[in-house]
Amino acid sequence: MIVDRIGNKIDDIVELLLEDYSKKRDVDNMDIFSIPDKVVVVDILNKLLRLVYPGYYREHSWRSIHLERQLTVVIEDVSYNLSKQVAIALRYDPKYQDADEQIVNDEAQEIVIAFLGKLPKIREYVNTDLQATFDGDPAADSKDDIVLSYPGLLAITINRIAHELWLLKVPLIPRMMTEYAHSETGIDIHPGATIGKFFCIDHGTGIVIGSTSVIGAHVKLYQGVTIGALSTKLGHKLHGTKRHPTLEDNVTVYSNASILGGETVIGKGAVIGGSSFITESVEPGARVSFKG
């Protein structure tokens, strides 16, 4: 039987893999307790979405009908598990690599307290994003329609959450959150990007926004837009430099346009037409279009 034939080879395959793991390459890391847990981080993120949208992301079985008690349970859960994951992630910061465990745990708890205090700010920004999406999309039947079904708003919301952790200098976890959003929505926004209020993503699939991008208020992007780096030949040596464009207030960028370069500024109120390839600054109020 096939099962018998496979079963007879399992020990050989295990031995083969164990030998391969012993080569001490980057992919051979076996210390699972030194790496943030992706499943736990996603669970934390989903609970944070419940705090941002209390009527939309809900538990299937309520432990209490009182909102205050519900919030207490969720916040306790988030603070406990997020503190544990942040403490693990802090070891990636040279400042904490050799620090005493209690010092790292205390710092993680302080970070989580500061982050949770930012939830009203996150909700304020998300509310403006919801309004901008509703105002800008005649296909939207209601704001409930947008919250429940629009990938653009989900990607923006997760980015708002991750960005606050990024500002608190938490390694790894913000990017894990936004890459989860990327996998769910097809929209790739780096948590380091600075994005103003009333941000609208229409359709959204294929949008890429780089880590040093600066985006003003009332900006609208359509599907396939890239806000990216002009050149990455120097690779990781460019880490931390301004590589991505600045879009000032009230800019609209239509589908499949690429805007590249850290010195590129798209002026206030400019409109970038679909499939345009922009590597130089654009004056405020300008209209740029691609002519094939």
Side-chain angles (χ1 to χ4, degrees), residues 40-222:
V40 175
V41 169
V42 170
D43 182 65
I44 291 167
L45 183 55
N46 284 321
K47 288 183 170 68
L48 288 167
L49 288 171
R50 194 180 308 160
L51 296 175
V52 174
Y53 298 104
Y56 298 92
Y57 293 82
R58 60 188 77 161
E59 287 208 18
H60 294 292
S61 59
W62 294 108
R63 282 170 273 187
S64 172
I65 62 172
H66 300 287
L67 179 59
E68 182 178 353
R69 293 175 185 171
Q70 293 171 22
L71 286 173
T72 299
V73 169
V74 175
I75 291 171
E76 285 179 349
D77 187 286
V78 167
S79 59
Y80 174 75
N81 287 296
L82 184 56
S83 293
K84 289 176 64 176
Q85 296 303 308
V86 169
I88 294 170
L90 285 176
R91 293 293 186 182
Y92 287 81
D93 184 336
K95 183 167 62 174
Y96 296 105
Q97 280 181 356
D98 299 317
D100 182 79
E101 183 177 357
Q102 190 60 52
I103 291 174
V104 175
N105 289 339
D106 289 346
E107 180 63 18
Q109 290 179 33
E110 289 298 321
I111 287 171
V112 170
I113 290 169
F115 166 72
L116 292 173
K118 297 293 185 181
L119 285 173
K121 173 191 172 184
I122 292 169
R123 298 189 72 246
E124 177 188 352
Y125 272 68
V126 167
N127 190 63
T128 70
D129 301 329
L130 174 58
Q131 186 65 51
T133 304
F134 182 76
D135 291 342
D137 187 0
D141 293 325
S142 65
K143 290 180 180 176
D144 289 347
D145 180 21
I146 294 168
V147 175
L148 292 170
S149 59
Y150 277 40
L153 185 67
L154 177 59
I156 295 167
T157 303
I158 292 175
N159 181 263
R160 299 289 191 197
I161 292 168
H163 183 66
E164 293 301 325
L165 288 168
W166 177 272
L167 292 177
L168 290 166
K169 302 187 184 305
V170 176
L172 290 179
I173 292 173
R175 191 68 185 271
M176 292 168 72
M177 289 179 170
T178 56
E179 286 304 323
Y180 170 72
H182 185 191
S183 69
E184 290 290 303
T185 67
I187 299 166
D188 182 2
I189 312 176
H190 194 284
T194 301
I195 301 174
K197 292 182 176 181
F198 294 96
F199 184 45
C200 176
I201 289 177
D202 199 324
H203 301 292
T205 303
I207 283 177
V208 176
I209 301 174
S211 62
T212 61
S213 303
V214 177
I215 296 176
H218 296 277
V219 169
K220 186 174 186 179
L221 306 182
Y222 286 80

